[in-house]
Amino acid sequence: MALSIEEIDIEDYEKVIEAKDPDVGLHALIAIHDTTMGPSLGGCRIYPYTSREDALFDVLRLSRGMTYKSAVAEIGLGGGKSVIIADPKTQKTEALLRSFAKAVDSLDGQYICAEDMGTTLEDMSIIRSVTQWVAALPDLKSSGDPSRFTAWGCFRGVQAVAHTLWGACPVKDMLRERTIAIQGLGSVGAKLAEHLFWAGARLIVSDVDPVRAEGIAAQLGAQACTSEEILHVPCDILAPCAVGGVLNSESIQRLQCTAIAGAANNQLLHEEHGELLMEKGILYAPDFVINAGGIINVACELESEGYDPCLAREKVNTIYDTLLSVFEMSARRNLPTSQAADELARHKLHYGIGKRSTSVHLHH
Ligand code: NAI
């Protein structure tokens, strides 16, 4: 039996497809939320979802998030995402990836796929052997590891928070002696910790892997604590860089920070938790604004002149100003910063600010 592709009608989404190929164990969902700004780009996540509904919920939520993230970053891309229901450790095969690639190809460039949880750059090469609609391949023309840029963007976001909270002071002193607590020391969190170290911050770090936390703490003169404690330690800025949903009714009551600025996606469990943070007087850097460095970097790969890391760096640096605008809008209109960021995204989408004017260039 060959690959079957069915379209699912979902309100407010441009196109959602379900692809199945039982011969190779493929069950995938691809969601294109919005292509107002350009073709959609988003990662392919392989995860053993317990139900089709869970997978559908995730792909819809993530693709919508990509629309907002890319719109605010003005990178001329729309929002899309794909999920494959499988255990990446035991069920990911070349045949499965090739079959998935055919589903991507059927979308004719309206969805460009990239690496995400459960997929690697090498998997992208396999997908590339079937379809051209893939970004961030393991070659020298590629934008490479996005986490470097995500971490740097986050660092610029932390600086924007510091500027807003503590006023103008020379950049080199902005974070000196400020206490910053980082949850999660993976690809992004560890690099962010390093940037903060050189900026003179006092660090508290945690990871579910205590050996990793202690190793990094020793290198950076930081204090290590458990992943339960980190959310509630007294600090100036909390940087969630691990999992989503960490800001919820229970955790927010116990926070002892002045601001939150970290890379994790979907930090607020529900939208109303943005309001709760505002009521508590905690300045929240909306996740999809502060963590856009990775997607900004990938988007640079699609420029006609090819990928240029210096251009990517300059674009990622704009996260600082974008966050200042979000904070300013939030203060002026008495809105939670999360809502101000959503409004900014909708405004840009409505007026096509940052919309792509040339087609994407795939240099592979
Ligand atoms: P990663 O998988 O490399 O690192 C995550 C780290 O968090 C791991 O070291 C893990 O042991 C730790 N961890 C997991 N649960 C934890 C907990 N409850 N408490 C403390 N530590 C915990 O992931 P990566 O790439 O560093 O991403 C981190 C977050 O940033 C994720 O939410 C991801 O979706 C988001 N993000 C990452 C981007 C990137 O460029 N890698 C881009 C945008 C967002």
Side-chain angles (χ1 to χ4, degrees):
M1 202 175 129
L3 170 72
S4 72
I5 298 176
E6 259 182 58
E7 198 165 332
I8 314 170
D9 202 17
I10 309 266
E11 204 182 333
D12 295 331
Y13 285 73
E14 282 181 20
K15 193 165 192 170
V16 181
I17 62 167
E18 181 164 20
K20 288 184 185 169
D21 185 346
D23 288 351
V24 297
L26 176 76
H27 187 181
L29 292 152
I30 307 179
I32 299 175
H33 174 250
D34 189 297
T35 57
T36 305
M37 298 301 209
S40 73
L41 190 148
C44 166
R45 179 168 289 194
I46 304 188
Y47 186 78
Y49 295 97
T50 49
S51 68
R52 172 191 180 273
E53 282 57 46
D54 281 358
L56 184 61
F57 177 80
D58 213 27
V59 81
L60 295 180
R61 180 179 67 110
L62 291 166
S63 59
R64 183 175 175 278
M66 291 306 295
T67 298
Y68 278 44
K69 188 185 291 200
S70 295
V72 167
E74 295 186 21
I75 51 175
L77 290 173
K81 198 87 184 181
S82 55
V83 297
I84 299 177
I85 306 173
D87 183 336
K89 289 201 186 91
T90 55
Q91 293 169 309
K92 184 169 69 177
T93 60
E94 197 165 324
L96 176 136
L97 290 169
R98 283 174 181 279
S99 187
F100 167 74
K102 285 185 201 155
V104 172
D105 203 54
S106 75
L107 295 166
D108 220 12
Q110 285 309 289
Y111 170 64
I112 302 169
C113 133
E115 174 199 14
D116 199 86
M117 248 166 68
T119 51
T120 62
L121 294 184
E122 285 63 39
D123 296 337
M124 295 306 118
S125 280
I126 297 172
I127 293 171
R128 172 66 188 98
S129 66
V130 176
T131 180
Q132 63 174 319
W133 302 114
V134 50
L137 292 159
D139 65 42
L140 293 178
K141 289 182 194 157
S142 156
S143 53
D145 175 6
S147 69
R148 289 195 303 145
F149 288 85
T150 306
W152 180 253
C154 260
F155 176 66
R156 296 290 287 141
V158 169
Q159 287 181 323
V161 164
H163 175 83
T164 304
L165 288 177
W166 303 305
C169 70
V171 173
K172 72 176 182 37
D173 296 329
M174 234 180 213
L175 296 169
R176 189 162 297 284
E177 298 301 319
R178 297 290 176 190
T179 303
I180 302 183
I182 306 179
Q183 181 189 45
L185 300 165
S187 313
V188 179
K191 295 181 184 79
L192 174 64
E194 180 106 23
H195 294 312
L196 292 168
F197 168 78
W198 291 111
R202 230 184 269 133
L203 296 175
I204 307 175
V205 296
S206 86
D207 197 283
V208 280
D209 175 355
V211 177
R212 185 160 177 75
E214 270 152 34
I216 289 178
Q219 273 177 9
L220 304 182
Q223 177 192 330
C225 71
T226 66
S227 53
E228 289 76 41
E229 287 164 345
I230 193 80
L231 291 177
H232 310 297
V233 291
C235 60
D236 294 304
I237 300 174
L238 171 69
C241 295
V243 288
V246 290
L247 305 175
N248 51 54
S249 311
E250 189 273 325
S251 68
I252 291 173
Q253 293 312 329
R254 298 172 56 210
L255 290 173
Q256 295 196 63
C257 56
T258 312
I260 297 172
N265 275 313
N266 304 311
Q267 291 171 35
L268 302 175
L269 185 61
H270 298 299
E271 258 178 61
E272 66 263 26
H273 293 125
E275 274 165 49
L276 213 54
L277 288 172
M278 185 166 95
E279 282 165 22
K280 270 203 80 160
I282 296 175
L283 183 66
Y284 170 62
D287 46 16
F288 69 82
V289 181
I290 191 172
N291 74 12
I295 186 87
I296 293 173
N297 183 51
V298 176
C300 288
E301 189 180 316
L302 308 172
E303 298 287 330
S304 54
E305 54 277 14
Y307 176 67
D308 172 1
C310 300
L311 177 68
R313 180 189 57 200
E314 295 322 307
K315 289 192 175 175
V316 171
N317 273 327
T318 63
I319 287 174
Y320 181 92
D321 286 324
T322 308
L323 270 176
L324 291 186
S325 321
V326 169
F327 295 152
E328 188 274 326
M329 186 200 285
S330 150
R332 181 167 37 85
R333 299 192 27 213
N334 198 27
L335 283 176
T337 53
S338 49
Q339 276 181 33
D342 284 353
E343 286 216 8
L344 184 64
R346 284 194 285 267
H347 175 83
K348 290 188 179 185
L349 283 163
H350 184 77
Y351 291 103
I353 300 166
K355 188 175 158 87
R356 178 167 292 276
S357 55
T358 57
S359 53
V360 296
H361 287 77
L362 297 158
H363 301 270
H364 45 246

